[in-house]
Amino acid sequence: MIIRKLFKFENAHIVRGCSTKKCRSSLHGHSYKVELLFESNFLDNGQMVYDFGLMKQNMKALVESFDHSIAIWNGDEKEYIQDMKKHSARWVELPVSPSAEQFSRVIFLLIDKLLQLTSSVNGEKEVKLNSIIVHETATGYAQCFNDDAYSKNMGEIDLEDITFSDEVKNDWADSELFLKMKNGESFINPQNV
């Protein structure tokens, strides 16, 4: 069975090297919709694949890190990167260009890592991240599956190369969430959400 949770965020970016002149040369924004799809052949004690309420915590925090932020590719011009960080308190620096395709891969890796580190307490069994869908516009989206997320052909993404601004981290319930994820620390789902 597959379940889906939808999140939304507003984000600005430039996608260097793309075909569209406006997209590659001008800072612009989108109203993104992000779908997290999970799968399992089992149901938990509440007869659910995974309680949607559990997704409103750390998973939501990670996706909403991009809300009202600027997504910056660390391969862009140094002056541009410095200016974006100087003039925006909320930014996320990525090792890949912030296209819808790469957003879907980055978010897949973040959620997959968090899911792997999270201990279940309500009988959840063999829950896997099926895919991530990032809607950049009402008519266009990118969908990332496991093989896409870990594909070297699409550009390597190492969690060590993702940087969240202090302002973004301060919005999380645990400002060290990402550091703990990178260190492989365990998370326990709360029983009373």
Side-chain angles (χ1 to χ4, degrees):
M1 178 174 287
I2 293 178
I3 62 169
R4 171 185 84 98
K5 180 69 174 168
L6 178 69
F7 295 99
K8 298 176 183 180
F9 65 83
E10 307 292 328
N11 188 273
H13 67 172
I14 291 180
V15 182
R16 304 290 188 198
C18 71
S19 300
T20 310
K21 184 178 180 182
K22 288 180 186 177
C23 186
R24 72 174 179 255
S25 61
S26 297
L27 186 65
H28 63 283
H30 297 280
S31 296
Y32 290 90
K33 292 181 182 174
V34 177
E35 299 180 56
L36 311 182
L37 290 89
F38 296 90
E39 65 178 275
S40 181
N41 292 320
F42 301 93
L43 299 177
D44 68 9
N45 297 336
Q47 299 189 14
M48 303 175 188
V49 169
Y50 199 82
D51 191 321
F52 290 127
L54 298 175
M55 296 178 206
K56 293 180 183 177
Q57 296 168 47
N58 290 334
M59 289 182 192
K60 181 179 181 183
L62 289 171
V63 173
E64 288 187 350
S65 297
F66 298 95
D67 189 42
H68 287 79
S69 295
I70 295 174
I72 304 167
W73 173 39
N74 68 8
D76 211 320
E77 298 173 14
K78 298 235 180 288
E79 185 179 14
Y80 170 77
I81 294 171
Q82 290 169 350
D83 284 346
M84 292 301 100
K85 290 179 179 181
K86 178 181 175 185
H87 295 288
S88 180
R90 291 183 59 82
W91 51 265
V92 182
E93 189 172 352
L94 303 171
V96 291
S97 185
S99 63
E101 291 83 350
Q102 294 292 28
F103 263 141
S104 68
R105 293 181 67 226
V106 166
I107 295 170
F108 189 103
L109 292 169
L110 292 170
I111 300 301
D112 191 44
K113 179 72 171 181
L114 181 61
L115 186 64
Q116 291 173 23
L117 294 172
T118 302
S119 299
S120 300
V121 295
N122 198 36
E124 299 90 353
K125 188 173 176 185
E126 297 181 23
V127 177
K128 294 187 300 186
L129 184 56
N130 171 279
S131 61
I132 299 287
I133 300 174
V134 173
H135 298 261
E136 186 172 87
T137 65
T139 60
Y141 69 85
Q143 185 169 7
C144 176
F145 296 90
N146 188 75
D147 288 347
D148 304 320
Y150 295 97
S151 171
K152 293 182 181 183
N153 296 334
M154 295 184 192
E156 282 193 66
I157 301 172
D158 187 334
L159 294 183
E160 292 294 331
D161 296 328
I162 298 172
T163 307
F164 295 99
S165 70
D166 289 340
E167 188 74 19
V168 168
K169 292 187 284 189
N170 289 337
D171 277 353
W172 299 336
D174 178 355
S175 63
E176 295 189 0
L177 168 65
F178 191 54
L179 178 63
K180 290 177 180 178
M181 287 173 56
K182 291 192 294 187
N183 290 336
E185 293 184 33
S186 296
F187 297 88
I188 298 174
N189 277 334
Q191 290 183 331
N192 298 313
V193 180

